[in-house]
Amino acid sequence: FILPFMVVLENCNVAIDEFNVGTGFFVYFLTHAHRDHMVGLSSQWKRGVIYCTAVTRALVLRRYPGLRQWVRDLPLDEPVEIGLTSNDSVRGVVVLYDAQHCPGSALVYLDASFGRVLHCGDCRLPIHKVPLKLWSILERVEVCYVDNTFAAPEFEFPGTEEAVSIVVAAIGSGVTVLGITGDLGKEELVTAALAFLPDLEVWVSPWRLANLQAMKNSHQRIAVEP
């Protein structure tokens, strides 16, 4: 399937990046902490357990501290058995894989009675970085959900590594201060720029700095914008 990122999987009660599904029991997954994927969440949300990565959990709880008892983190690349019904009578295995879209982003693989399903979320994982464990399950996937935001052929963007190299080279040619906007994303750009440009200053908003600290990704040359 090529679908929007918000989806309730067919023939089961699993919702991924969809938090407005109505009544009844659902198992929820959050692929990453960009706000457009968290529509429907609030500190008062009590509909069920939300699974995600540890980094995504830390970021979600910064925004919605009331969700602490509902958001549970899972490790990357490791199969974990979870309950898929309110009484745990039906169980399945889930594996989260790094999607390399932003810190904490994940692909969700589910193996249960309804089939073997892969939900790609917002995936920027290049072919040469696909882990062997993920390659091994791809041939077994029966249904794959792919976000179609940039599915049209006219959208062709450079890979992350190339984009980072271009921006770092531009900054090094004369620009000495880099301002990073938004709540989440471009962390790999900041890390690379700081490594290659020893005199670079990076300014961010107070919220963004706290996010970096929550992800354990802060740096002495990252400061709050004046």
Side-chain angles (χ1 to χ4, degrees):
F1 293 100
I2 299 180
L3 297 168
F5 53 79
M6 300 176 294
V7 66
V8 176
L9 303 189
E10 286 193 336
N11 304 317
C12 66
N13 53 349
V14 175
I16 301 181
D17 294 344
E18 173 58 88
F19 303 100
N20 292 306
V21 294
T23 59
F25 177 86
F26 285 88
V27 175
Y28 297 88
F29 289 89
L30 176 62
T31 60
H32 63 285
H34 278 151
R35 279 182 286 181
D36 59 330
H37 287 249
M38 297 193 291
V39 174
L41 289 181
S42 71
S43 282
Q44 290 72 46
W45 195 90
K46 299 179 180 179
R47 294 183 177 180
V49 172
I50 303 170
Y51 293 102
C52 60
T53 64
V55 169
T56 294
R57 182 179 189 272
L59 295 172
V60 169
L61 294 183
R62 283 210 64 241
R63 187 172 293 278
Y64 304 121
L67 293 180
R68 185 169 300 276
Q69 66 172 316
W70 299 105
V71 184
R72 299 180 187 174
D73 60 270
L74 298 175
L76 288 171
D77 303 327
E78 297 295 332
V80 178
E81 187 176 281
I82 63 171
L84 296 174
T85 56
S86 57
N87 61 4
D88 271 1
S89 60
V90 178
R91 301 184 67 80
V93 173
V94 60
V95 189
L96 302 184
Y97 295 97
D98 185 0
Q100 296 204 6
H101 170 60
C102 65
S105 61
L107 293 81
V108 181
Y109 172 70
L110 278 163
D111 187 342
S113 58
F114 52 78
R116 300 183 185 97
V117 178
L118 180 66
H119 186 287
C120 295
D122 285 0
C123 180
R124 278 191 356 205
L125 181 63
I127 291 293
H128 69 278
K129 288 190 176 181
V130 175
L132 291 176
K133 289 183 179 179
L134 180 53
W135 278 120
S136 68
I137 65 101
L138 287 177
E139 63 183 19
R140 303 199 301 271
V141 170
E142 297 168 319
V143 179
C144 183
Y145 292 86
V146 181
D147 172 44
N148 66 351
T149 303
F150 296 106
E154 62 264 26
F155 293 113
E156 185 174 351
F157 304 108
T160 300
E161 293 173 353
E162 181 183 353
V164 167
S165 296
I166 292 170
V167 175
V168 169
I171 297 170
S173 68
V175 180
T176 57
V177 178
L178 172 64
I180 298 295
T181 60
D183 290 344
L184 181 64
K186 306 180 183 68
E187 283 74 16
E188 65 272 75
L189 171 59
V190 173
T191 300
L194 289 170
F196 284 100
L197 303 170
D199 297 324
L200 181 68
E201 298 176 19
V202 178
W203 294 349
V204 296
S205 67
W207 180 271
R208 185 62 177 269
L209 182 61
N211 271 357
L212 290 169
Q213 292 167 344
M215 293 184 287
K216 298 180 174 55
N217 197 22
S218 57
H219 191 284
Q220 63 182 4
R221 282 188 280 137
I222 301 177
V224 173
E225 57 193 350

